[in-house]
């Protein structure tokens, strides 16, 4: 494996920010990864495991080694006729949406609600990706990971991953300690469409799909909704939701609701989750463009939770904007927003 020096990361992050990596290498198997981890330049340097770069904000050059995951492979590893389930094993460098399409082609359901989420399979467990009424953990069976310190392979069951809302142990207690090399999901032979999320049924009706929808139909509806409000990183730099949706205590929510009767809220264990997009829009940020000319960066005009890079801004500019948004939401609503994007 070639260890390249001084490589631009612009093609490797969906914000399209032009920062440099001191070293850059790709690995296509767990063995190649181990060989790289043993090289002296890699062993002693700071390491960044890179998937599709769709949840990263680079605010400066990366003065260590970027290791790009290119482990491929999609297969049905076993099938259980009695439970009607199949285990699907995916190499961590496969595209997530590619895995969704593979499952649909194999007649397996369970991840169609997670259609079109950018990035790789290996990053999906890091924040337990979620959308439109489903999360990775709903179908997750186990993952395989290589320990950065020893090169040993370890299997993590769902219970060991500590999944929560946009959370896992790999972002907390085990941060930067493991490289996910494969993910195994447990999918269903029998379609079990999940249309709990209101917008899906509305969109199915809009698309003229009547009766019980197939997994393909649900996927089509989700793709349709996502395209209508989320910017395509190929056109406008972004990393999806920049912040997590905050979870408030019932008392705090009731207090805010008395001041802002149209504040939306969804019950969660121990409180109420409110859309950060609503708070950001109410604080006046939606559609903002900042910087010379028509603006280099700002807040998406169709989804206030998405920060956008039109070109010509730096990661520092975007972080500065994020900090101002956090401060204004804190001042107006006394609610603390936390970034979902990994800031480097
Ligand atoms: P990267 O950005 O490359 O990495 C993210 C983090 O994971 C980094 O800390 C990295 O070091 C670590 N990492 C990556 N791969 C590995 C590995 N193999 N082993 C160990 N650590 C690793 N997310 C959602 O949950 N729901 C959505 O609906 C959603 N919509 C989005 C829409 C858009 C338009 C965009 C741009 C992003 C969206 N995201 C969404 C965020 C993003 O797609 C996910 O977080 C995705 O899982 C990131 O994958 P990636 O391969 O690009 O990870
Ligand atoms: N809203 C506004 N203004 C906006 C946009 C939304 O007020 O500009 C309010 C509306 O009340 C709307 C509500 O926010 O009903 C929710 O909006 P939306 O359905 O677009 O979802 P979200 O809460 O903003 C979350 C995830 C997304 C995921 C969608 C769909 C987080 C941080 N974000 O967004 O995930 O795709 O739900 O399930 O949980 C991501 O993580 O990168 C991501 C895109």
């Amino acid at each position: 494996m070639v260890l390249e020096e001084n490589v631009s990361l612009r093609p490797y992050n969906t914000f399209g920010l032009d920062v440099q990596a001191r070293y850059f290498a790709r690995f296509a198997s767990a063995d190649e990864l181990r060989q790289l981890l043993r090289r002296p330049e890699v062993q002693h340097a700071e390491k960044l495991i890179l998937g599709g770069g769709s949840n990263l904000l680079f605010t400066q050059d990366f003065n260590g080694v970027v290791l790009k995951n290119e482990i491929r492979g999609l297969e049905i590893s076993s099938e259980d006729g009695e439970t009607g389930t199949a285990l699907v094993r995916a190499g961590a460098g496969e595209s997530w949406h590619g895995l969704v399409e593979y499952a649909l082609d194999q007649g397996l359901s369970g991840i169609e609600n997670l259609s079109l989420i950018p990035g790789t399979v290996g990053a999906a467990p890091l924040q337990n990706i979620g959308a439109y009424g489903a999360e990775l953990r709903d179908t997750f069976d186990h993952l395989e990971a290589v320990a950065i310190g020893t090169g040993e392979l370890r299997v993590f069951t769902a219970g060991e991953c500590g999944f929560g809302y946009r959370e896992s142990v790999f972002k907390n207690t085990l941060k930067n300690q493991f490289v996910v090399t494969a993910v195994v999901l447990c999918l269903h032979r029998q379609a079990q469409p999940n249309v709990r999320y209101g917008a899906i049924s509305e969109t199915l009706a809009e698309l003229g799909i009547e009766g019980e929808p197939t997994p393909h139909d649900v996927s089509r509806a989700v793709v349709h909704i996502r395209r209508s409000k989320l910017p395509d990183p190929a056109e406008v730099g972004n990393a999806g939701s920049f912040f997590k949706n905050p979870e408030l205590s019932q008392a705090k929510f009731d207090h805010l609701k008395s001041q802002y009767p149209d504040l939306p809220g969804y019950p969660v264990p121990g409180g109420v989750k409110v859309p950060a997009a609503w708070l950001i829009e109410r604080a006046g940020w939606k559609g903002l463009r900042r910087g010379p000319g028509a603006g280099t960066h700002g807040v998406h005009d169709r989804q206030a939770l998405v920060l956008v890079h039109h070109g010509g801004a730096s990661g520092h500019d975007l972080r500065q904007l994020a900090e101002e948004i956090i401060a204004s939401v804190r001042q107006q609503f006394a609610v603390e927003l936390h970034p979902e994007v990994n800031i480097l």
Side-chain angles (χ1 to χ4, degrees), residues 254-287:
D254 292 343
H255 175 69
L256 271 180
K257 186 94 180 159
S258 67
Q259 289 173 281
Y260 303 96
D262 54 342
L263 172 70
Y266 314 95
V268 288
V272 184
K273 193 189 272 188
V274 301
W278 190 94
L279 302 170
I280 296 168
E281 181 171 347
R282 268 308 176 95
W285 295 97
K286 191 169 177 174

Side-chain angles (χ1 to χ4, degrees), residues 55 127 130-133 165-166 197 226 229-230 239-245 264 266 273 275-279 281 286 300-306 340:
N55 210 20
Q127 68 159 9
Y132 300 100
Y165 165 61
R166 299 293 191 271
Y197 204 94
R226 296 183 70 96
K229 53 181 163 188
L230 290 168
S241 301
F242 197 90
F243 305 99
K244 294 188 208 178
N245 285 330
Y266 314 95
K273 193 189 272 188
W278 190 94
L279 302 170
E281 181 171 347
K286 191 169 177 174
H300 190 45
D301 54 4
R302 274 177 283 148
Q303 226 302 354
L305 197 45
V306 179
E340 176 198 293

Side-chain angles (χ1 to χ4, degrees), residues 49 51-55 69 118-120 123 127 129-130 166 180 226 238 240:
I49 311 306
S54 64
N55 210 20
N69 185 343
T120 55
Q127 68 159 9
I129 56 168
R166 299 293 191 271
V180 177
R226 296 183 70 96
N238 78 94

